[in-house]
Amino acid sequence: RWIQGIMLKHNIEPFKDTDKLAFGASFGLPPGRVGRTDWSNGYKALEDACQGVLFPHDKQVYHSLGGFKEAANEPWCQFTVRRVSA
């Protein structure tokens, strides 16, 4: 639901089911947890959270954008979704 709140706040329209998309995610975790985290699970969880909200289906994701991980005082994540040109 938090993704829907962000979209409403910023007047972001969901992508159409015909759009090809690129998806990327970056993460920051407290020191000591950065090396013990399975980043692929976090990435997929964000992609799944966007499904049905920001885009109709994750089969539209044709490309993974580069992300990064870093130590941070508080946990954070950032994701990017872009339309891929035909």
Side-chain angles (χ1 to χ4, degrees), residues 26-74:
S26 301
F27 303 90
L29 289 174
R33 294 201 50 206
V34 174
R36 298 190 327 240
T37 302
D38 185 347
W39 296 99
S40 62
N41 285 344
Y43 185 94
K44 185 61 178 155
L46 274 176
E47 188 178 300
D48 289 345
C50 290
Q51 181 173 289
V53 180
L54 187 55
F55 46 81
H57 203 280
D58 64 2
K59 289 183 179 178
Q60 295 175 250
V61 178
Y62 282 79
H63 181 71
S64 292
L65 300 169
F68 63 91
K69 57 185 177 182
E70 67 178 40
N73 291 333
E74 296 291 328

Side-chain angles (χ1 to χ4, degrees), residues 5 7 9 38 40 42 45 56 74 79-80 85-86:
M7 292 172 61
K9 180 179 177 182
D38 185 347
S40 62
E74 296 291 328
F79 63 93
T80 302
S85 299

